[in-house]
Every structure is written in C-alpha cells, then in structure tokens.
C-alpha cells in the first residue's frame, strides 16, 4: 500500500516526458556536493517546482483543449423542465490523474455540466474518496485553499478535520491500515471469547437505555416483539444467550451513548488527543462485529430484521465518524429493503401493526439515507418517486400497536408523530436539494472560468433560483404541530433565526424534549447546507466582479441558521443533559461551527459579523461540554480556537490595523497550534483596498489564472522558499508528488 508520506531524504520523483522551458528535462539526477551547504532539500524543492510548473502548463493546455471541444457543443437550453440527473462522482474519463488536482470542478455527463466535487481522505488511510459540492468537506477544501493563499502557507484539508477514531483506525474493530495484510484483520469470522461480552444483567441495562434514548427518535423496532425475541435467546442460567444480529447491534449503539454518559460522570479527565480504543464512540465494537458476521449469512435471503440491522449498523458507523462505512451500510439497507418490497405498499393480509412497522422502517431508512447523501454530496439510492408505500400513521391506534407505552401528546399527536414530521422535513429538504443541484448547468455553462464561482453574474442568477425553490421547507416549518415545537421566551418563534432564548418546559418527558430539539436542529442544519454554497471567498483575480445582493443574502442566511443552531446547543448543554453522548447532534454543531468560520473569513465586516463571531465562542463552549463525553469534541474545540485566532487577525487587517503590528501569535504560544507559525506581512491593510470580492487581490505573488475559490489545488500554493523560519521548514515542508497521487515532504 502506498504511503502518504515517504522518507524525508527521498528525492523528488522524475517527471517523465516533461521538459523545461529551455527544451531540456529538469535536472534531477545530480547528487549534492559534499562541500555544499546543509539542507539541500530546498534545491530539491526548487527542481520539483520546475517539474510541477511544466506539469501544470501541460494540464492547462489539456483543459483548454477540452474546454474548446465543449464550447463547440450546443448548450443546454435554460427553458423548459430540467434534465433529471443525480449528483455523481466524476466518470473515469474525467477523474483526475493520480498526480493531478484533487478537485473536479465540472463534470460533463451527457449534455449536462455537473457540479464537481473534491477527492480527499477523511479516514485513517491516505486513500481519497469523493465528496460533492453540498458536503462539508467541499466547503473545507474551498476554505483551506483561501487560507493557503492569504497566509502563504499550505493548509491541507486534514488540518480542519476532527481527530475521530476514524482518523486513528481503519475500522471500528480498531484495525490499523498497516494491519490490513494480517490474516486476523481480514477474518470477520474470528471468534471472540464469551468473557469479552457483557453479562445478561449488563445487556439489560443497555437495552433499557435504548428504549429511553434512540427508540422514540428512530421508531424502526416493535419494543414488545423485540423483548420476546430477546427472551427466546436465553439458554441455561449463567450461560451466554444465543447470538442475534439485531440484539447485538442494538446493544452496540446503546453502548455508544451509555459509555459516553459514563465517561462524563467519571472522575478521569479525557485528554484532547484520546481517541483510542477506549473512546465511547466505538464502545460495543465486539457486538457490532458479531452483527456484521451474522448479517453476511442473510444476504441472499434478507428479512425485515436484516434491514433493521443495516440501519442500526449505519447509525453505529456514522456516530463513530466512519462516513464511508455508514454510506455502504445504508446502500445494503436500501437494496435489502427493495428485495423484500419495503418500498411498496405492505400486503393487505399482514396485521396492521406489521404493515405500519414496515412503513416506518422504509421511510426512516429513506430519511436517513437522504440525509447522509446530502451531507456527503453523493447520489441517492432510495428513490421516493418509485415508492408506493404510504407514509406511516401516527394516530392513537398506530401508537398503541407499535409496542411501546408512551403517553399521548394530544388528540392528534402521539410519540409516532415525530417520525412523520422528520420524514416530511427530509422530503422537503431533498426536493430543494435536488432542484437546486439539477439546475447547475442551466445557470453555468463553463464558458467563464472553471466553476460557477468564476462567473458572479451566473452565481447571482443561481442564488435567485434557490430562493424560488425553498418554499417546501418554509411550508414544513408552518405545518409542525405546536406539541413538537420548542418554546421560546417573549415573542420568539420556533424554526426562526431570531436567536430568541429557548424555554425547556418543566415536567416534560426527556424523549419528547429530544424530539422537539432534534426536529429544530435538523431544520437549521438543512437550511445552513442549502445556503452555504453562496459563502464565497475573496478572489485573487483582480478583474473578478463583486457578488450580487441575493448571493450575499444567502451567505448571511447560512450563517444565521448556524448561529441559531449554536444558541440552541449552548442553552441545552449548559442547562440539561438531554444530548449527552449523542453523536449526531455533535456532528451538526461541527458542521455549523465551520460554516460560521467560513462566513467570517469571507465577510469579516458584514453587519452580522459580531453576532457570528460571538456564536463561534459559544460553539467552543458546546464542544468543551461534549468533550466531557468523548475526546473528538475536545479536538473540535481546539480547532475552533485556532480558526478564531485567524478570523480575528484578518478582521483587524480589514478594519485598518497596521499589518506590521497585527502579527499572528507565535507558534510556541500554547493558545495556538504549530501549524500557524508564519508571518502574514504580505497582506495589505484595509486602507489600501475596497472590500468586495477583490479583497486581498494582488497581495500575493501568485501568477495563475485561478481564483481562490475554484483553484482547489492546494499544492500550487507553496509557501515562499526564502525568509522562512527554520522551525517552519522542519515541520511544514511542502509536499512533493510521488507519482501515485500522494505527496511526501520534499
């Protein structure tokens, strides 16, 4: 397996077939003289730069030829209904070569131009996977490209990625990537001693926790039927029960939240770097592994229980931040549900309780899979248009038949009402998401630059179009019954961005309070993600045009919804224990916090900048509170502090501070990270510029015809070789291509 980092002494690889400007191959074979000064790596980097420049020139030539071919094709008409398509990764014809850029701005599929994505590694392995333009990883890439340009220092994407167990281990089993060749790492059938599992009493504790926590928000099980099934697995007293994939995965996801609560209540302080085998997010991994081994035998003849297991497996991997494993588990769930006909109306000869359970399982899966695909920017598997299954019922009879004993909320609302409105929210979000991204080629033809951010007029028209398709979400917010709304003080309105304080009613069951919070938080997440593409970072191209009013308004809306989400989180974590150990809400806050940071980098002097900056401080408090349960959140708090330092530094420059006085904190300062040790003296003061999208234009010696927002090739933004502190050179060497799409210190 190719390593992402080679030996520091390895020379830069030769670029076969490339020649320098003088027509000769770059000199790469000469050995340094023994009398030469130390640190010859700078010479190697210079030669690598020459090779890189030649390669980029050739790449630009190829792209220009490709663009010219596309211009000769007839453009897609902007009138009439759009051609249906799904967001898809780049085809093999357009996938970047191993040593090319990691961003595919546009992909031509048939007659349409599809908004490309980014290839990045989000796990322990150096291998990269694809994330679309709606994903947080695409936004991180855009933001990092901008930061690299502004600070003249490489900001790889993984600098703003959480230190989760997925960054430490290749699987939830705690396998390392370098262990993949070991036989025991591959053998899923390897047995585990019974002593490693819980006792029956301990299992009962975690099962009871499931019914109190996840079950009201994920109504895919019949509680009474499950308990009968669990009792049927008993053997002799004192002996382990018979294995069951469903029981195993329910225990596994319950242990994630249960062990997080236990960690919070323990006296042991969790260090920020502790994301090892004891991390609560992979508690129960033995049960998860046994579940997967048992599910393997059900692939040819799946049942409803098989689908339930795949959904819960996707939950387990999602909460542990194994994004791709979660996506794979959901694909198995969708395919298995198709095999047993869950997407169709249940047979009339089934009991009503079974019919309703099948509807709840299908639509919960539909919502879960849709959320993940929108979050990752990838194609949908579950097709609502081809579904004949009715939405699940939520009346009193359906609630009684569901097998759980929860109090009725009102004459027209039960504990199942949340499931219905959760599904309707995701349906509305998916309609807007699909309508928006399907129309990309109607507004951007590819004739101006590489991506729509190069064409401010097209971007403004695209922003105007988004405004016309947001109505389903607004209608949904109006339709939610009062019993599922979190109250506000004064005249504050739920599902709004007025930032009015929430009111946690006394003597309300925790499951109902969670349902209310989860609905509103998800609403703000959905709105944030839909508006976020219009957060546009200042350009380094002086001829770029200022953004339009609608585009700027959408960017502000993305920030406003993230501010509202953060205020709700802050109130909840500082006053209640409702979300202790809940990993998905933590991921929502992380998504919102990075959106806030990105907005302030893009619009540091906007009218709402002070309230956005305040929300970043609140998010740090939220992460510190979640960090009492799992270490990943403490890492999130550290990352946000570092981003806040950079945000404040740039804001001072824009407000007119002396750039020689406004020097970034030294890397040795414990309040900062060692990645931020460079001086930013090349950034001009605000008195020298007009704050538009040309902010910081011309402040860097970057002779390239790319904007910061569309470049995506962080390797082009090499820090200057001269006048670099020695400690920066030791720890922050530029990365040189190794010929396999990976890079190592030069």
């Amino acid at each position: 397996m190719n390593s992402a980092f080679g030996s520091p002494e390895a020379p830069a690889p030769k670029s076969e077939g490339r020649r320098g400007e003088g027509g000769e191959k770059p000199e790469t074979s000469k050995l340094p003289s023994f009398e030469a000064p130390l640190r010859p790596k700078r010479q190697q980097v210079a030669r690598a730069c020459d090779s890189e420049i030649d390669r980029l020139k050739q790449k630009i030539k190829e792209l220009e030829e490709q663009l010219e071919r596309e211009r000769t094709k007839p453009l897609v008409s902007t009138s009439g209904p759009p051609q249906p398509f799904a967001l898809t990764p780049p085809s093999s014809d357009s996938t970047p070569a191993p040593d090319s850029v990691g961003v595919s701005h546009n992909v031509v599929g048939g007659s349409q131009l599809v908004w490309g994505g980014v290839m990045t590694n989000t796990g322990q392995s150096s291998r990269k996977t694809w994330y679309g333009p709606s994903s947080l990883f695409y936004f991180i890439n855009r933001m990092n490209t901008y930061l690299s340009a502004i600070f003249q220092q490489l900001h790889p994407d993984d600098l703003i990625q959480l230190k989760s167990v997925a960054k430490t281990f290749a699987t939830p089993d705690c396998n390392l990537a370098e262990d993949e060749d070991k036989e025991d790492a591959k053998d899923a059938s390897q047995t585990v001693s019974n002593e490693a599992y819980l006792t029956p009493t301990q299992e009962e504790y975690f099962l009871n926790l499931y019914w109190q926590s996840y079950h009201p928000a994920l109504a895919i099980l019949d509680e009474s039927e499950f308990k009968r099934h669990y009792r049927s697995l008993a053997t002799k007293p004192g002996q382990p029960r018979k294995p069951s994939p469903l029981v195993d995965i329910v225990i596994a996801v319950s242990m994630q939240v249960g062990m997080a609560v236990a960690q919070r209540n323990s006296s042991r302080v969790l260090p920020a770097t502790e994301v090892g085998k004891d991390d609560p997010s992979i508690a129960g991994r033995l049960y998860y592994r046994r579940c997967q081994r048992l599910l393997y035998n059900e692939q040819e003849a799946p049942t409803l229980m098989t689908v339930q297991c795949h959904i819960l497996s996707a939950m387990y991997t999602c909460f542990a931040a194994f994004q791709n494993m979660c996506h794979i588990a959901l694909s198995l769930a969708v395919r298995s549900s198709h095999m047993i006909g869950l997407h169709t109306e249940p047979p009339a000869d089934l009991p009503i309780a079974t019919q309703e359970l099948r509807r709840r399982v299908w639509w919960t899966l539909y919502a879960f899979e849709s959320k993940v695909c929108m979050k990752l920017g990838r194609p949908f598997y579950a097709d609502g248009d081809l579904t004949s299954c009715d939405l699940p019922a939520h009346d009193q009879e359906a609630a009684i038949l569901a097998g759980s004993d929860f109090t009725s909320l009102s004459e027209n609302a039960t504990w199942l009402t949340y499931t219905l409105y959760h599904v309707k929210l995701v349906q509305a979000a998916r309609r807007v998401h699909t309508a928006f991204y399907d129309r990309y080629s109607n507004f951007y033809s590819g004739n101006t630059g590489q991506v729509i951010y190069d064409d401010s007029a097209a971007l403004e028209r695209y922003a105007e179009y988004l405004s016309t398709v947001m109505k389903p979400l607004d209608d949904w917010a109006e339709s939610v019954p009062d019993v599922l709304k979190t109250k506000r003080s004064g005249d504050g309105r739920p599902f709004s961005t007025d930032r009015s304080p929430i009111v946690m009613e006394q003597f309300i069951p925790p499951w109902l309070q969670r349902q209310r919070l989860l609905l509103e938080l998800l609403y703000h997440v959905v709105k944030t993600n839909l508006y976020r593409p219009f957060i546009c970072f200042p350009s380094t191209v002086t001829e770029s045009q200022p953004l339009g009013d609608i585009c700027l308004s959408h960017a502000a809306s993305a920030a406003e919804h993230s501010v509202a989400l953060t205020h709700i989180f802050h109130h909840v974590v500082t006053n209640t224990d409702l979300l202790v150990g809940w990993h998905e809400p933590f991921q929502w806050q992380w998504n919102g916090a990075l959106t806030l940071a990105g907005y302030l980098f893009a619009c540091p002097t906007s009218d709402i900048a002070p309230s956005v900056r305040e929300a970043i401080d609140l998010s740090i408090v939220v992460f510190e509170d979640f960090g009492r349960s799992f270490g990943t959140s403490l890492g999130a708090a550290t990352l946000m502090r570092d981003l806040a330092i950079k945000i404040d530094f740039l804001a001072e420059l824009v407000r007119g501070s002396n750039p020689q006085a406004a020097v970034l904190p030294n890397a040795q300062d414990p309040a900062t990270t060692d990645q931020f040790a460079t001086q930013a003296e090349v950034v001009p003061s605000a008195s020298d510029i007009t704050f538009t999208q040309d902010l910081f234009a011309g402040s860097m010696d970057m002779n390239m015809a790319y904007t910061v927002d569309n470049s995506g090739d962080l390797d082009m933004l090499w820090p200057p070789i001269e006048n670099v502190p020695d400690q920066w050179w030791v720890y922050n060497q530029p990365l040189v291509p190794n010929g396999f799409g990976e890079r190592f210190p030069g």
Side-chain angles (χ1 to χ4, degrees):
M1 182 181 68
N2 298 323
S3 173
F5 297 96
S7 169
E9 302 301 325
K14 296 181 180 179
S15 188
E16 295 184 10
R18 307 289 189 196
R19 295 187 180 272
E21 293 181 354
E24 296 179 2
K25 291 184 178 179
E27 189 175 70
T28 58
S29 58
K30 290 184 179 180
L31 295 174
S33 169
F34 289 106
E35 290 149 354
L38 294 177
R39 288 189 300 188
K41 297 183 182 67
R42 295 191 181 186
Q43 299 175 9
Q44 295 173 356
V45 170
R47 290 194 294 268
C49 285
D50 293 338
S51 297
E52 184 76 355
I53 290 170
D54 291 337
R55 183 187 67 77
L56 290 172
K57 286 181 178 179
Q58 180 63 26
K59 185 64 178 178
I60 291 172
K61 181 179 179 181
E62 294 171 358
L63 291 173
E64 288 174 343
E65 292 174 352
Q66 179 182 352
L67 180 59
E68 187 60 31
R69 289 194 300 269
E70 292 303 320
R71 284 175 175 170
T72 60
K73 296 181 179 181
L75 294 177
V76 179
S77 172
T78 57
S79 61
Q83 302 267 339
F85 79 95
L87 283 174
T88 56
S91 64
S92 58
D93 294 336
S94 59
T95 301
D99 63 341
S100 64
V101 300
V103 173
S104 55
H105 299 298
N106 300 303
V107 181
V108 179
S111 60
Q112 279 197 314
L113 199 64
V114 182
W115 200 342
V118 59
M119 295 288 295
T120 186
N121 61 311
T122 55
Q124 198 266 350
S125 172
S126 61
R127 285 169 289 191
K128 298 181 178 181
T129 47
W130 189 89
Y131 297 88
S134 64
S135 68
L136 179 62
F137 298 110
Y138 186 85
F139 185 71
I140 289 174
N141 181 272
R142 291 173 52 216
M143 182 163 60
N144 275 334
T145 304
Y146 170 68
L147 295 179
S148 296
I150 291 303
F151 293 113
Q152 290 277 282
Q153 178 182 355
L154 187 67
H155 281 70
D157 287 351
D158 58 4
L159 285 185
I160 311 182
Q161 286 187 14
L162 295 174
K163 295 180 180 179
S164 63
V165 289
K167 279 288 188 181
T168 306
F169 303 111
T171 70
D173 290 339
C174 299
N175 294 328
L176 299 173
E178 55 265 29
D179 294 337
E180 288 180 345
D181 293 333
K182 295 181 180 179
E183 201 60 38
D184 59 350
K186 289 183 175 182
D187 185 10
S189 64
Q190 185 181 16
T191 59
V192 180
S193 65
N194 289 328
E195 289 77 12
Y197 293 99
L198 301 174
T199 66
T201 304
Q202 291 170 329
E203 286 192 349
E204 184 177 354
Y205 169 83
F206 286 107
L207 290 175
N208 288 336
L209 180 61
Y210 179 85
W211 306 120
Q212 300 165 15
S213 57
Y214 290 131
H215 180 56
L218 192 82
I220 63 171
L221 300 178
D222 183 311
E223 183 179 353
S224 58
E225 287 292 335
F226 180 93
K227 290 180 176 179
R228 280 194 290 270
H229 170 66
Y230 182 70
R231 287 194 296 269
S232 72
L233 302 175
T235 56
K236 295 180 180 179
Q239 296 297 314
R241 61 169 171 82
K242 299 174 185 176
S244 163
L246 183 59
V247 173
D248 283 350
I249 195 61
V250 169
I251 292 175
V253 297
S254 298
M255 290 183 71
Q256 285 180 311
V257 64
M259 296 309 295
V261 172
Q263 169 62 46
R264 182 186 179 91
N265 295 333
S266 70
S267 59
R268 185 171 67 93
V269 177
L270 191 69
T273 57
E274 184 169 340
V275 286
K277 295 183 178 181
D278 294 332
D279 193 83
S281 63
I282 51 172
R285 59 185 176 273
L286 292 181
Y287 285 93
Y288 166 79
R289 182 180 184 182
R290 187 167 68 178
C291 170
Q292 304 313 301
R293 186 174 71 245
L294 295 172
L295 284 178
Y296 180 81
N297 299 322
E298 299 184 9
Q299 292 183 91
E300 186 58 31
T303 64
L304 180 61
M305 185 181 292
T306 307
V307 178
Q308 293 166 327
C309 289
H310 284 312
I311 294 174
L312 292 168
S313 297
M315 276 184 55
Y316 183 88
T317 50
C318 177
F319 295 169
F322 289 91
Q323 305 286 351
N324 292 325
M325 293 184 70
C326 169
H327 201 188
I328 291 171
L330 285 171
S331 69
L332 292 173
V334 173
R335 292 304 185 224
S336 298
S337 66
H338 288 160
M339 294 175 193
I340 63 174
L342 277 189
H343 62 300
T344 64
E345 185 63 8
D349 58 348
L350 289 177
I352 296 178
T354 304
Q355 293 182 38
E356 287 301 325
L357 178 61
R358 288 172 64 94
R359 293 188 182 102
R360 288 196 301 274
V361 171
W362 166 253
W363 283 110
T364 299
L365 171 59
Y366 173 91
F368 191 2
E369 198 258 352
S370 297
K371 287 193 300 182
V372 169
C373 289
M374 289 187 289
K375 178 177 74 172
L376 304 181
R378 293 174 180 167
F380 301 108
Y381 270 17
D383 192 338
D385 293 337
L386 301 179
T387 295
S388 62
C389 180
D390 289 341
L391 289 171
H394 66 109
D395 56 22
Q396 303 294 338
E397 181 183 4
I400 293 173
L401 294 174
S404 296
D405 188 17
F406 292 105
T407 304
S408 295
L409 304 180
S410 69
E411 183 179 353
N412 299 316
T414 66
W415 72 280
L416 294 178
T417 304
Y418 166 85
T419 299
L420 177 65
Y421 280 88
H422 176 258
V423 169
K424 286 186 174 182
L425 171 57
V426 176
Q427 281 183 317
R430 180 164 161 173
R431 283 198 296 272
V432 178
H433 175 98
T434 302
F436 176 67
Y437 287 99
D438 276 6
R439 286 278 186 156
Y440 180 75
S441 64
N442 290 60
F443 295 94
Y444 181 65
S445 63
N447 292 334
T448 303
Q450 292 186 337
V451 76
I452 196 168
Y453 296 111
D454 294 327
D455 190 338
S456 58
L459 191 65
E460 180 71 0
R461 293 194 301 271
Y462 205 22
E464 185 177 4
Y465 172 71
L466 178 62
S467 301
T468 67
V469 296
M470 292 293 284
K471 191 173 185 299
L473 284 169
D474 299 331
D475 291 343
W476 175 88
E478 293 294 328
S479 71
V480 177
D482 289 341
V483 73
L484 287 179
K485 293 179 179 177
T486 301
K487 303 299 186 291
R488 295 299 198 279
S489 62
D491 297 329
R493 296 179 296 109
F495 303 110
S496 72
T497 57
D498 60 15
R499 297 196 292 275
S500 56
I502 64 174
V503 176
M504 304 302 295
E505 296 181 71
Q506 288 185 325
F507 315 121
I508 296 296
W511 62 265
L512 176 57
Q513 291 181 328
R514 285 197 196 96
Q515 285 185 342
R516 292 173 172 178
L517 288 171
L518 293 175
L519 269 188
E520 181 154 0
L521 290 171
L522 179 58
Y523 173 79
H524 288 300
V525 170
V526 164
K527 283 266 189 150
T528 293
N529 292 350
L530 286 168
Y531 285 126
R532 187 168 58 202
F534 296 97
I535 296 179
C536 304
F537 299 101
S539 172
T540 61
V541 180
T542 56
E543 61 270 17
S544 64
Q545 298 298 315
L547 292 176
D549 292 341
I550 301 178
C551 182
L552 292 172
S553 174
H554 286 351
S557 293
E560 289 279 19
H561 282 282
S562 291
V563 169
L565 175 142
T566 302
H567 276 265
I568 294 174
F569 266 119
H570 183 263
H571 182 93
V572 171
V573 302
T574 55
N575 293 280
T576 76
D577 292 332
L578 287 172
L579 297 179
V580 172
W582 283 65
H583 296 264
E584 186 179 27
F586 158 72
Q587 293 170 3
W588 291 345
Q589 176 64 89
W590 174 243
N591 180 83
L594 286 190
T595 302
L596 295 172
Y599 179 79
L600 287 181
F601 282 129
C603 307
T605 59
S606 73
D607 293 340
I608 64 170
S611 61
V612 175
R613 180 62 184 84
E614 178 190 9
I616 287 182
D617 290 337
L618 295 181
S619 75
I620 294 173
V621 175
V622 174
F623 290 137
E624 288 174 338
D625 188 87
F626 273 112
R628 295 166 59 189
S629 300
F630 44 90
T632 301
S633 190
L634 290 181
T638 300
L639 286 170
M640 289 309 302
R641 289 192 195 96
D642 297 338
L643 289 176
I645 292 172
K646 299 180 183 181
I647 289 167
D648 293 341
F649 174 73
L650 288 179
E652 287 301 314
L653 291 178
V654 173
R655 294 188 188 104
S657 297
N658 184 347
Q660 300 301 324
V663 177
L664 290 170
N666 188 277
Q668 305 304 319
D669 191 329
T672 64
T673 60
D674 59 356
Q675 294 99 343
F676 201 60
T678 186
Q679 304 283 330
E681 67 275 2
V682 297
V683 182
S685 67
S687 59
D688 299 328
I689 58 176
T690 301
F691 182 68
T692 65
Q693 281 305 102
D694 296 325
L695 176 63
F696 306 124
S699 63
M700 294 149 287
D701 183 16
M702 298 173 62
N703 296 320
M704 63 183 79
Y706 297 102
T707 63
V708 169
D709 226 335
N710 72 23
S711 168
D713 188 0
L714 298 179
D715 308 323
M716 298 172 63
L717 304 172
W718 294 51
I721 300 302
E722 267 65 48
N723 302 320
V724 178
D726 288 344
Q727 67 268 24
W728 188 92
W729 182 257
V730 173
Y731 297 108
N732 296 276
Q733 298 185 46
L735 302 180
V736 179
N738 68 358
F740 295 96
E742 301 169 337
R743 316 188 75 80
F744 57 85

